[in-house]
Amino acid sequence: MSYVIPLFIHLLCAAFWVGGMATMHFAVRPSAVATLEPPLRLRMMAATLRRFFVGVDASVTLLFATGVAMILAGGGFRGLHWRIEAMMSIAIVMLAIYVYIRASVFRAMRRAVDESAWPTAAARLNTVRKLVTVNLVLGVIVFGVATVGRAG
Ligand code: HEM
C-alpha cells in the first residue's frame, strides 16, 4: 500500500495536469475565440485559468511528493531506472515553465484585464498559450517515457 496509494494519486495528478492543459488548448481557448469579443473573452480566459491553476498548484505539489515517496519506498535515489530519471528531469522543466506562467505571465495578463488593456492582455494570453503548448508536449513525452520506457 505504501507504493500503490502514492502511484494512484500520482497518476490522478498527472492526468489532471496534462489532461487539463489539453482541454484548455483544444477546447476552451478556441471556443472562446470563436464565440466571444476580446473584452469578454479575455475576462473569461483569466477567470478560467485562475480556477484551473489552483487545481494545477495542488496537482503539481502532489505529483512531486508522490514521485519522491515512491522513489524512497523503492529504495532511494541511487540506481534509479532511466525512465524515472527522465520523468523527473522533464517534470522539473515543466515545473519551471509552469512557475514562470503562474508568477509572471499570467499575473501580467490579469493586471492588464483589470486595467482593460485588451491588446496587452491578449499578448500575455498568447504567451500563456505558447508555454502551455510546450508543457503539453512535454507532458505527453513524460507519459510515453514513464510507460513505454518500461520496455527498455
Ligand atoms: C508531468 C509529470 C509526470 C507525469 C506525466 C508522470 C507520469 C507517470 C506515469 C504514467 C507513471 C506510471 C508508470 C508505470 O507504472 O509504468 C508514473 C510512475 C512514477 N513516477 Fe511519474 N510522472 C510525472 C512526474 C514525476 C516526478 C516529478 C517524479 C519524481 C519526483 C516521478 C516519479 C515516479 C515514480 C517513482 C513512478 C513509479 C514507477 C514504477 O512503479 O516503476 N514522476 N509517473
Side-chain angles (χ1 to χ4, degrees), residues 15 21 25 79-80 83 86 99 101 117 138 140-141:
M21 288 192 291
H25 185 74
L80 281 179
R83 77 196 168 95
V99 169
I101 295 174
L138 290 177
V140 172
I141 291 172

Side-chain angles (χ1 to χ4, degrees), residues 31-53:
S31 304
V33 170
T35 58
L36 302 171
E37 294 304 316
L40 205 53
R41 177 200 316 159
L42 290 158
R43 276 202 203 98
M44 182 269 196
M45 285 306 299
T48 306
L49 287 170
R50 186 176 61 76
R51 284 175 176 79
F52 175 54
F53 287 162

